[in-house]
């Protein structure tokens, strides 16, 4: 946690420098510190459409530059960026420029749950199982587990009530556990390879 | 205590996540697109406030309504002048409240 706090203090100091001195270099440092995670978040949300994800990431940072004076420090800077990125993704999604939730749901219905571990790689099964989850469950697990945010931070990013986030996280994990149950009987070494 | 299967699922999900994306010139491209930062100038807002207050005062100074309203309000009698003043004050407060709420909403990213 102290490392986390130190990172937050560095971000805060950089934000102050940008606002006070209009310091573009300080913003560039913020950008370099956070671009990797924000782009990873967007790549996941766009289901691997790297070009679209990078366009959205660019839009996210341009918005952050314009709205930086609205960052009050009540959330981590990275969480604030994730929230802007998620809003940009939703807007693009509504304009139908990205794979829609209907498509994702269709995919979810058409794909069969992984049943036999033999011959199928666990990561592939996990990918397929993830796609069978509802969009909300996928998004909650992405932020809570893969991006390492707390439930509260996830609720802030997704603009979702905290209870709903917890429910989606529990349900999503329970479904994955069921669908991947066949792997549990496999030897541990095999799972780790 | 966490369920060990939950931990295993968490570990698998983290393993599946590719993690941070390498920069590969992304930051440079964004920096080139960055528009000049507009500084908000505060003095026109304050000057407008002061001008508004001054104009109000000048236009109401000669009217007995304002003074009578204040006097009646202070003495607790609900004359028409006091009620008018009350309505105007309440209206202004509601307007300010609405403005503040809108501003607060705009400040969310």
């Amino acid at each position: 946690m102290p490392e986390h706090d130190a990172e937050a203090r560095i971000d805060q100091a950089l934000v102050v420098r940008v606002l006070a001195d209009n310091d573009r270099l300080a913003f560039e440092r913020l950008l370099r510190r956070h671009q990797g995670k924000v782009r990873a978040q967007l790549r996941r949300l766009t289901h691997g459409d790297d070009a679209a994800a990078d366009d959205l990431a660019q839009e996210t940072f341009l918005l952050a530059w314009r709205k930086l004076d609205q960052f009050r420090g009540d959330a981590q800077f990275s969480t604030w960026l994730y929230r802007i990125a998620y809003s940009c993704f939703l807007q693009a999604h509504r304009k139908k420029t990205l794979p829609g939730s209907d498509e994702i749901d269709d995919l979810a219905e058409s794909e069969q749950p992984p049943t036999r571990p033999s011959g199928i790689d666990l990561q592939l099964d996990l990918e397929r199982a993830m796609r069978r989850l509802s969009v909300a469950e996928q998004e909650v697990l992405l932020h809570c587990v893969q991006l390492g945010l707390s439930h509260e931070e996830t609720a802030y990013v997704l603009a979702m009530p905290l209870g709903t986030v917890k429910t989606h996280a529990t349900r999503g994990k329970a479904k994955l556990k069921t669908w991947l149950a066949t792997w549990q009987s496999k030897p541990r070494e095999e799972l780790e390879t | 205590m966490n369920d060990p299967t939950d931990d295993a699922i968490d570990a698998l999900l983290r393993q599946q996540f590719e993690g941070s994306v390498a920069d590969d010139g992304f930051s440079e491209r964004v920096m080139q697109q960055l528009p000049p930062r507009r500084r908000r100038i505060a003095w026109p807002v304050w000057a407008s406030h002061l001008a508004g207050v001054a104009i109000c005062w000048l236009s109401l100074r000669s009217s007995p309504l304002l003074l009578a309203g204040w006097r009646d309000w202070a003495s607790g009698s609900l004359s028409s002048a006091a009620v008018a003043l009350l309505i105007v004050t309440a209206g202004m407060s509601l307007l300010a409240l609405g403005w503040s709420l809108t501003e607060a909403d705009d400040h969310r990213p």
Side-chain angles (χ1 to χ4, degrees), chain A residues 126-188:
Chain A
L126 179 62
E127 188 71 51
R128 285 175 57 197
M130 274 293 275
R131 289 203 168 212
R132 291 192 73 231
L133 297 176
S134 72
V135 175
E137 286 162 355
Q138 288 179 40
E139 289 174 352
V140 165
L141 288 183
L142 162 66
H143 290 87
C144 276
V145 183
Q146 296 180 312
L147 290 167
L149 301 185
S150 65
H151 285 141
E152 288 78 7
E153 288 171 326
T154 303
Y156 171 78
V157 172
L158 302 178
M160 208 180 253
L162 181 60
T164 313
V165 168
K166 289 181 179 171
T167 307
H168 283 315
T170 312
R171 281 195 195 147
K173 283 184 196 176
K175 285 180 189 173
L176 290 179
K177 213 185 293 180
T178 311
W179 294 334
L180 299 172
T182 41
W183 280 99
Q184 283 172 30
S185 53
K186 301 284 280 181
R188 184 148 187 85

Side-chain angles (χ1 to χ4, degrees), chain A residues 42-166:
Chain A
L42 288 165
R43 283 183 183 196
R44 275 272 147 191
L45 288 171
T46 55
H47 294 278
D49 186 343
D50 294 359
D54 280 4
D55 286 348
L56 289 174
Q58 180 162 323
E59 198 181 323
T60 299
F61 283 103
L62 291 178
L63 262 175
W65 167 254
R66 271 182 35 219
K67 295 189 168 208
L68 200 62
D69 55 346
Q70 294 172 19
F71 173 67
R72 299 278 161 82
D74 40 6
Q76 298 259 347
F77 185 71
S78 53
T79 315
W80 186 69
L81 281 176
Y82 288 142
R83 183 174 164 124
I84 298 179
Y86 183 67
S87 305
C88 288
F89 163 74
L90 280 187
Q91 273 187 0
H93 185 276
R94 285 189 196 116
K95 287 180 199 160
K96 302 273 179 196
T97 55
L98 294 171
S101 58
D102 298 343
E103 274 174 61
I104 295 163
D105 289 343
D106 288 348
L107 179 77
E109 279 165 22
S110 65
E111 284 193 21
Q112 293 300 309
T115 50
R116 285 154 57 88
S118 55
I120 308 168
D121 182 66
L122 174 60
Q123 289 298 323
L124 270 177
D125 272 358
L126 179 62
E127 188 71 51
R128 285 175 57 197
M130 274 293 275
R131 289 203 168 212
R132 291 192 73 231
L133 297 176
S134 72
V135 175
E137 286 162 355
Q138 288 179 40
E139 289 174 352
V140 165
L141 288 183
L142 162 66
H143 290 87
C144 276
V145 183
Q146 296 180 312
L147 290 167
L149 301 185
S150 65
H151 285 141
E152 288 78 7
E153 288 171 326
T154 303
Y156 171 78
V157 172
L158 302 178
M160 208 180 253
L162 181 60
T164 313
V165 168
K166 289 181 179 171

Side-chain angles (χ1 to χ4, degrees), chain A residues 28 31-32 35 39 54 58, chain B residues 21-33:
Chain A
E28 189 174 353
L31 168 61
R32 288 189 189 279
Q35 62 83 27
R39 285 165 76 200
D54 280 4
Q58 180 162 323
Chain B
V21 178
D23 193 297
D24 287 334
F26 173 81
S27 301
E28 212 165 302
R29 283 197 298 280
V30 174
M31 288 310 290
Q32 282 167 4
Q33 300 279 323

